[in-house]
Amino acid sequence: MNGFDERFLTRNGFAARQLAVLLLGHEPDTRLPRVRDFAEELGCGNGTVQAALQLLEEAGAIETTARGHLGTFLVRSDRTILWRLSGLGTLLAAMPLPYSRRYEGLATGLRSAFEQAGAPFAITFMRGAGARTTALLDGKVDLVVLSRLAADRLMEKHPVQLLADLGPATYVGAHGLLLREGAQLDAPGLRVAIDHASEDQRLLAERAFAGRSDIEWVESSYMQLRDLFASKQADATVWNLDEVQGRLGMAVDVLPLGDEVTRDLALRNSSAAIIGRKEGAQALAAVRDTLDLSVVTSLQSEVLRGERMPSY
């Protein structure tokens, strides 16, 4: 270990690491809090804060300038160095399996946006919004990507907060009612595929077929849907069209969803949302204000148009 690293293991160095976290929330050419305000927040003396600021300057993490009675201003900051010195580690996001180009574009955009904000970022892929949220609550991941529909329901039950809503068609393109070739929608005893691991699909399917007491529910995932239709074990379902168009390998009628409530649910289900824990998410708080979410939607659109190769 070189002498520079050893200095960050001293009392002043520990304060510098704490300051690095705080300074991640400051943009260049903005006035910094007073030294005594930093000292009060960190629970140390003014001299320790001044020494910590000097350490950060010597490390190339920041450059400051004093402007008389106006105070001290942050001239420049290197967010990559600040993040490394802060010890916040890598932000880990849980996303759905990247089986569609839309999800690949979403992952590509998220990775770029976080990297531009100076935060090391990684993605783990998990099926089911409930499973991803459990990982979040257990502290195994820092944020979760899911539909706005699922986010709204989970926020009612758990101490999680909405960090972003990326807007319609960022999570899925659309949902439709799928009817197996030869099946009749009004036939008694209609067998409807449902995936209880997917909060969105389950809710949409139940709402689309509400009022029918003759429905036979057939447990299914996307991977099983083709075989269930081909073997005539299922007749219909409501599903994400990104998953099924051109992939079922068989003739399927795609019908529009019915009532206004179902269409509203489908619209909220099409929007990608990002949620995080309400408490203890220091790394996420450090990057949140500098995260440019327009990068996410822009790069996702490029991937969808075939203008950019997915990279995540």
Side-chain angles (χ1 to χ4, degrees):
M1 181 180 294
N2 57 39
F4 169 78
D5 289 334
E6 289 175 354
R7 289 189 296 167
F8 279 88
L9 299 177
T10 64
R11 183 179 62 180
N12 292 343
F14 178 69
R17 289 178 177 275
Q18 292 179 297
L19 270 179
V21 176
L22 300 179
L23 291 171
L24 282 165
H26 290 272
E27 292 292 330
D29 203 32
T30 58
R31 186 172 61 183
L32 293 176
R34 296 169 300 181
V35 167
R36 65 172 177 265
D37 293 330
F38 273 140
E40 183 177 345
E41 184 165 1
L42 298 182
C44 62
N46 292 350
T48 300
V49 170
Q50 290 170 333
L53 286 170
Q54 184 176 346
L55 275 177
L56 291 176
E57 294 223 31
E58 292 172 355
I62 60 170
E63 180 183 344
T64 64
T65 184
R67 298 181 182 173
H69 68 279
L70 295 177
T72 299
F73 281 71
L74 181 66
V75 176
R76 179 194 61 81
S77 67
D78 187 317
R79 295 185 60 81
T80 300
I81 297 177
L82 281 174
W83 196 279
R84 174 173 57 82
L85 293 175
S86 73
L88 291 173
T90 298
L91 278 166
L92 183 60
M95 277 193 63
L97 303 178
Y99 50 70
S100 71
R101 183 57 65 92
R102 197 175 307 273
Y103 283 160
E104 288 188 316
L106 185 56
T108 301
L110 283 169
R111 177 184 175 187
S112 295
F114 276 91
E115 287 181 350
Q116 287 183 24
F121 182 75
I123 300 173
T124 183
F125 298 101
M126 303 173 64
R127 181 171 175 266
R132 296 195 292 276
T133 303
T134 297
L136 176 68
L137 294 171
D138 290 344
K140 296 177 181 177
V141 300
D142 299 294
L143 54 92
V144 164
V145 179
L146 69 179
S147 75
R148 179 60 191 268
L149 177 61
D152 287 343
R153 292 175 66 84
L154 290 166
M155 285 189 293
E156 294 174 358
K157 304 175 183 177
H158 303 291
V160 297
Q161 60 179 323
L162 182 70
L163 303 175
D165 182 333
L166 298 176
T170 52
Y171 193 68
V172 297
H175 276 75
L177 196 157
L178 308 183
L179 188 64
R180 175 181 57 80
E181 186 178 32
Q184 298 296 319
L185 192 59
D186 57 357
L190 190 73
R191 293 164 298 179
V192 178
I194 189 169
D195 182 2
H196 284 94
S198 170
E199 183 83 0
D200 304 326
Q201 194 276 337
R202 179 192 63 78
L203 187 61
L204 286 168
E206 289 177 349
R207 190 62 62 89
F209 292 97
R212 289 191 58 169
S213 59
D214 63 330
I215 293 295
E216 178 185 340
W217 297 105
V218 180
E219 188 64 33
S220 174
S221 69
Y222 164 66
M223 300 300 293
Q224 299 168 309
L225 194 58
R226 175 178 177 174
D227 290 340
L228 288 175
F229 274 19
S231 62
K232 298 184 180 180
Q233 296 180 61
D235 305 309
T237 191
V238 173
W239 218 272
N240 166 16
L241 298 184
D242 285 342
E243 297 181 35
V244 300
Q245 288 178 330
R247 299 189 184 190
L248 286 182
M250 56 187 297
V252 175
D253 292 327
V254 180
L255 308 177
L257 294 177
D259 58 78
E260 289 296 329
V261 174
T262 304
R263 282 194 289 270
D264 172 64
L265 293 177
L267 180 63
R268 283 194 287 145
N269 186 67
S270 80
S271 297
I274 304 173
I275 61 172
R277 293 184 297 277
K278 282 187 176 179
E279 303 295 337
Q282 187 181 36
L284 203 54
V287 75
R288 184 175 180 179
D289 292 340
T290 56
L291 197 62
D292 184 358
L293 293 175
S294 68
V295 171
V296 181
T297 52
S298 176
L299 293 188
Q300 183 186 48
S301 295
E302 291 181 16
V303 170
L304 284 170
R305 293 193 301 265
E307 298 170 1
R308 176 182 290 269
M309 287 293 293
S311 174
Y312 52 87

